Amino acid sequence: MADIFISYKSERRNAVEHLKRTLENYGYSVWFDYALLTGRDFARQIERELDAAAAVVVLWCSRSVESEWVIEEADRAKQAGKLIPVWIERARLPMGFGRADTIDLVDWSGSPRSNELDDLLDQIALLVKRDPVPDLRGLRELEGHWRRFGAPPLAQFGLDANAARLQEARRQAVEEQRRQEAERLAEIAEQERKAAEERQWLEAEAKRQRAEQARKTEEAKRLADEARARQQEQQAAAKQEAERQRAEKLEAEKRHREEEARKATEATQQAEKEPPSESPNAQSYLYEPIAPAKPDSEPLPRHEPGEKAGVGWKRWVGLAGVLSIALAGGAYVLNGPQPASPVASPVATAPPVAGKPVAVVPSNPLQVAVAPPEPQPPQPVVAPPVQPTVPPAVVTQPAPSVPPAASLPVVTPSVIAPSPSPAPPSKPVPPPLPSDLKGIAPEVWTRAHEGSAADQVAIGLAYQSGMAGTTKNGLLAVSWLEKAAKQDNISAPFILGALYHFGAVGVPRDGRKAEEWYLIAAQQGNLNAQLFLGDLYNFGAVGVPKDGKKAEEWYLKAAQQGNPDAQYNLGLLYYDGAVGVPKDGKKAEDWFLKAAQQGNTNAQFFLGVLYNDGAEGVAKNWKKAEEWYLKVAQQGDANAQYNLGLLYRDGAEGVPKDGKKAEEWFLKAAQQGNPSAQGNLGIIYHFGADGVRKDGKKAEEWLLKAAQQGNLPAQSFLGFLYENGANGIEKNMPEAVRWYKAAADQNYGRAIDALKRLGVKYP
């Protein structure tokens, strides 16, 4: 049996013969299937020789790798641990042999004495367990024979001309196939590179849009605050006009009561001079009470604390808004008659004493309440008839003069006193009504000088607001309001605080004075004062540094009484954090929820932001974010609609990607002029999305709208669209450069890079 078994493809028989002779000259016996005995079972003979050999040399070439015999022989040798794989031609090895240490004889010249055979001889010696013993004479003769044969390399040894041509043709076919494969791979790599660039662009764009959205949110807060302030100013003007008309009606009623009292006094004085009438009608009329006339209509509805006062991203109103709140109570009489007291019958109760404040807080903390008169002892007078056709009343004793505006009690003869009461002291005459004070009745002016706190507040508001053409004068407004405040009027301190907080004509902003007056009103339980005091500490003012801890304290007082604006502001304080108040996502969530459940759209929007971004103590919950964004978006809010579009475009846990919904909400926001929504809508139409077809015309339309509003990403992407053309949009390099430059002029990096890539000199 031979030391070495050689497995090969029959076309390489001459090469195998040369290798066999070479190895034999090194002292090894070699067998290959050329030595098969005729008539024998070839398979069994090969199997017997393979099993008996100490080493199996498998010659791999382009033909042998496809031969089932060679692969089977190599596999059997590998399992027996005696496989020596040898390359004589580059070829892709069959599965299972790629990791074997294959000896490379591709570049072997064929010389029997070449050093390139050393690796092969070492492996054979290792398996045969016998070092090679070279036959020098035999090797010289074999080399001479090899050289006479033309000294061919082993890879081509023994191949005839046809085989060589076939091999060359096959090599060329392989090279062509490899070239085509390389081109295909290069094309795939280029597509992947472009796709990677688009993904990077989209990721960068999404990041920039999130930052842009944060800026837009802040801007939306500011715009909403301004809109709210304007709305409150309009409401204040409307309520002032309603108050003026109501005041006129109340003043007319008061004049009527005073006239009735005057007539009663005159009739009593006349009765003292004339003898009593024996008329039974007059005697029976003597005991009839004189009732004051009822007002023509009921008082206006009151503004209750906690009532929703509009939508703003951060609750902040101007002085007009404060006056709107103050006037909503219906207690400031600027002109006209006083209404009957809502808590006492006008028949049984005397009219209020001007300037006497009630010591309790009414249901509306801003409403100025006027107290009923202190109890008076019965007066020894008998009411005369009012109608001039009835004879004068008969009295048993001289009657004293009756004070104006006092209702006369019903009496009987048994309570008539033997002597009259002393006449009231004369009142000081007020100065004339100023010509620059419009819309204020003379009676209001008179009562204010007599000490009526409600009328003093009315005059102060007239000077502040310029009502009915009154010349605005902040100093006079402060003067009258301070007079009312000194009488413990519960609304005057709040309005004074607002005057100093926001300033007025002749009154500069003064945070310290605003703080002083707000504190007085807030400590009396005025909800709006507590709310505005929280704002003062939260945002700071002239002379008052920011103090998050104090802002938290006063917001909390109003919020615990159910005020939704205070609940929202408190949530925002915990969400953003402030001096002395660390960020607390959980508390922010709690207060946002309380305000949102009362319909506060600002709180509903920020709940969506909170659940979308997460916060300390609050895990991200995109399903809840979707729920709250949807509530606000369905009310027409463009920012919520845009955020909802982003959520559906990108998808998140619990909210799968939905291109159709993203398109729907981007479209709603875009139709309201939101430039970020317009830009994103254009990108969706450019690239397409799940349920949304590519549409170049729509992409161009919306990108143009966003770009024309100064949206930098839209300008840059519009340049990209015109540079490359797609989806029915023709390339247009002048337009591409124009839009790239528009974005680059605002230092947009992607546009600057694009201009450099195009070779456009910039700047």
Side-chain angles (χ1 to χ4, degrees):
M1 296 297 176
D3 297 324
I4 302 170
F5 179 100
I6 298 180
S7 177
Y8 69 102
K9 192 71 173 70
S10 59
E11 288 84 350
R12 295 291 184 180
R13 182 171 286 117
N14 291 334
V16 174
E17 180 68 26
H18 179 68
L19 181 61
K20 172 181 178 296
R21 291 177 181 177
T22 300
L23 293 177
E24 286 175 343
N25 278 288
Y26 281 96
Y28 298 112
S29 59
V30 180
W31 188 93
F32 67 103
D33 62 4
Y34 189 75
L36 288 173
L37 297 176
T38 306
R40 296 287 184 93
D41 187 337
F42 291 161
R44 289 184 181 180
Q45 188 176 355
I46 290 172
E47 182 178 1
R48 184 169 59 253
E49 291 294 336
L50 191 149
D51 291 339
V56 177
V57 175
V58 177
L59 300 182
W60 292 119
C61 65
S62 58
R63 290 173 172 79
S64 62
V65 295
E66 297 175 357
S67 171
E68 293 181 359
W69 280 97
V70 175
I71 294 172
E72 184 177 356
E73 290 167 354
D75 183 66
R76 190 178 186 92
K78 181 179 178 182
Q79 292 177 8
K82 50 187 176 183
L83 173 65
I84 302 177
V86 176
W87 261 324
I88 62 171
E89 181 185 6
R90 298 291 182 203
R92 184 176 180 179
L93 299 182
M95 185 177 294
F97 298 93
R99 297 183 180 180
D101 294 328
T102 305
I103 296 172
D104 190 354
L105 294 182
V106 174
D107 298 325
W108 178 39
S109 64
S111 172
R113 295 189 291 181
S114 173
N115 293 334
E116 293 173 3
L117 291 174
D118 289 348
D119 289 340
L120 176 60
L121 293 172
D122 289 342
Q123 287 293 320
I124 292 172
L126 185 64
L127 293 176
V128 176
K129 299 180 181 179
R130 188 175 75 251
D131 292 333
V133 180
D135 181 356
L136 299 179
R137 181 179 178 182
L139 289 171
R140 280 196 305 271
E141 291 177 354
L142 180 60
E143 184 165 358
H145 176 72
W146 168 71
R147 290 188 183 280
R148 288 192 298 273
F149 193 72
L154 191 65
Q156 296 182 358
F157 199 96
L159 289 177
D160 56 18
N162 289 333
R165 283 194 298 273
L166 289 173
Q167 185 177 14
E168 179 63 19
R170 181 168 183 169
R171 184 188 62 77
Q172 291 177 357
V174 169
E175 287 181 356
E176 177 64 18
Q177 184 178 4
R178 287 176 179 173
R179 186 188 63 77
Q180 293 176 356
E181 180 67 12
E183 289 179 353
R184 187 182 67 82
L185 292 175
E187 183 178 355
I188 292 173
E190 178 65 17
Q191 292 174 353
E192 290 177 348
R193 184 188 64 78
K194 290 182 178 179
E197 285 183 354
E198 288 185 356
R199 285 195 301 272
Q200 290 174 357
W201 189 92
L202 289 173
E203 289 171 0
E205 182 63 16
K207 184 177 180 181
R208 191 209 61 78
Q209 286 175 357
R210 286 193 290 272
E212 178 70 10
Q213 179 59 21
R215 187 187 68 78
K216 292 293 185 182
T217 300
E218 290 299 322
E219 179 67 13
K221 294 177 188 175
R222 184 184 65 77
L223 294 175
D225 291 341
E226 292 177 358
R228 182 181 178 190
R230 288 194 299 271
Q231 181 183 10
Q232 290 179 336
E233 287 176 358
Q234 293 170 357
Q235 291 174 348
K239 289 180 180 178
Q240 283 180 343
E241 178 62 21
E243 285 296 324
R244 186 188 64 76
Q245 295 175 1
R246 180 172 173 234
E248 289 177 354
K249 189 185 300 181
L250 296 175
E251 190 63 24
E253 183 183 352
K254 183 174 181 181
R255 287 198 299 271
H256 174 73
R257 289 200 302 271
E258 290 175 349
E259 179 65 20
E260 292 296 329
R262 185 187 62 76
K263 289 179 181 180
T265 301
E266 290 176 356
T268 302
Q269 292 173 350
Q270 182 67 25
E272 293 176 2
K273 301 175 183 178
E274 297 179 4
S277 172
E278 299 300 330
S279 169
N281 293 334
Q283 190 68 26
S284 64
Y285 193 82
L286 179 67
Y287 306 106
E288 301 253 348
I290 299 175
K294 294 184 179 180
D296 295 337
S297 63
E298 293 298 323
L300 294 174
R302 299 183 180 186
H303 176 83
E304 294 299 330
E307 180 178 338
K308 182 177 179 182
V311 174
W313 297 118
K314 285 190 179 178
R315 197 211 55 74
W316 184 259
V317 298
L319 182 56
V322 176
L323 301 180
S324 170
I325 296 171
L327 289 172
Y332 302 118
V333 180
L334 305 183
N335 197 0
Q338 295 277 3
S341 169
V343 296
S345 168
V347 176
T349 305
V353 176
K356 185 71 174 179
V358 177
V360 297
V361 180
S363 60
N364 182 351
L366 294 178
Q367 184 177 357
V368 178
V370 180
E374 297 178 359
Q376 301 291 334
Q379 298 294 324
V381 297
V382 177
V386 177
Q387 291 83 350
T389 57
V390 180
V394 177
V395 298
T396 56
Q397 297 293 338
S401 61
V402 180
S407 299
L408 302 179
V410 179
V411 299
T412 62
S414 61
V415 299
I416 297 177
S419 60
S421 299
S426 61
K427 298 179 181 178
V429 179
L433 182 66
S435 60
D436 63 347
L437 186 59
K438 310 295 185 182
I440 295 293
E443 293 80 1
V444 175
W445 176 257
T446 300
R447 287 196 305 271
H449 277 279
E450 291 174 354
S452 169
D455 294 309
Q456 290 167 351
V457 170
I459 293 173
L461 289 175
Y463 276 124
Q464 186 283 323
S465 64
M467 180 195 70
T470 297
T471 302
K472 290 185 178 182
N473 191 321
L475 294 175
L476 286 177
V478 168
S479 173
W480 282 104
L481 289 166
E482 285 181 344
K483 289 179 182 180
K486 288 177 182 178
Q487 300 185 64
D488 296 330
N489 180 282
I490 62 173
S491 293
F494 168 57
I495 303 172
L496 278 166
L499 276 169
Y500 284 119
H501 192 173
F502 301 104
V505 177
V507 180
R509 296 186 179 190
D510 189 328
R512 298 301 301 173
K513 288 185 178 180
E515 177 187 31
E516 175 186 344
W517 287 111
Y518 277 156
L519 277 170
I520 293 173
Q523 288 165 352
Q524 292 177 351
N526 189 308
L527 263 178
N528 291 291
Q530 294 169 355
L531 186 60
F532 277 67
L533 193 56
D535 283 344
L536 186 71
Y537 290 130
N538 190 15
F539 302 108
V542 179
V544 179
K546 293 181 180 181
D547 191 328
K549 202 65 183 173
K550 287 184 179 179
E552 176 189 30
E553 173 189 350
W554 287 107
Y555 281 152
L556 190 60
K557 288 182 185 290
Q560 287 173 337
Q561 298 177 66
N563 186 289
D565 287 331
Q567 292 168 345
Y568 163 67
N569 278 15
L570 191 57
L572 209 56
L573 188 67
Y574 289 130
Y575 180 79
D576 292 331
V579 179
V581 181
K583 291 184 179 182
D584 191 324
K586 190 61 182 173
K587 286 185 179 179
E589 177 188 29
D590 292 342
W591 287 109
F592 280 153
L593 278 170
K594 292 178 187 291
Q597 287 163 356
Q598 294 193 62
N600 187 297
T601 53
N602 297 333
Q604 293 170 350
F605 177 83
F606 266 90
L607 274 173
V609 174
L610 183 69
Y611 290 129
N612 189 76
D613 298 340
E616 186 176 353
V618 180
K620 292 181 180 180
N621 189 324
W622 291 281
K623 193 65 181 174
K624 287 186 177 180
E626 176 193 28
E627 172 189 343
W628 287 107
Y629 280 152
L630 196 58
K631 286 181 183 291
V632 189
Q634 287 172 340
Q635 297 177 59
D637 184 86
N639 290 296
Q641 292 167 348
Y642 172 66
N643 280 11
L644 202 56
L646 288 177
L647 192 59
Y648 288 130
R649 184 197 70 182
D650 298 335
E653 184 178 350
V655 182
K657 286 185 180 181
D658 192 322
K660 198 65 181 173
K661 286 185 178 179
E663 176 197 26
E664 173 189 351
W665 289 109
F666 278 148
L667 183 61
K668 290 179 184 291
Q671 287 170 341
Q672 296 191 61
N674 186 300
S676 296
Q678 292 169 345
N680 273 282
L681 192 58
I683 290 173
I684 279 186
Y685 286 132
H686 175 74
F687 289 109
D690 184 21
V692 182
R693 287 185 175 182
K694 294 181 180 180
D695 190 322
K697 290 298 182 184
K698 286 185 178 180
E700 180 185 33
E701 173 190 352
W702 287 108
L703 285 166
L704 273 171
K705 289 185 178 183
Q708 287 164 354
Q709 292 195 64
N711 186 274
L712 300 183
Q715 292 174 345
S716 180
F717 196 86
L718 201 54
F720 175 81
L721 185 64
Y722 286 131
E723 177 190 354
N724 295 282
N727 304 324
I729 303 301
E730 297 294 332
K731 290 184 179 181
N732 189 333
M733 290 305 295
E735 280 295 288
V737 171
R738 182 171 78 88
W739 284 111
Y740 278 144
K741 283 187 174 180
D745 287 343
Q746 300 178 66
N747 204 31
Y748 190 68
R750 189 177 294 275
I752 294 173
D753 293 342
L755 289 173
K756 290 180 180 178
R757 175 171 50 77
L758 293 174
V760 177
K761 187 176 180 181
Y762 182 84

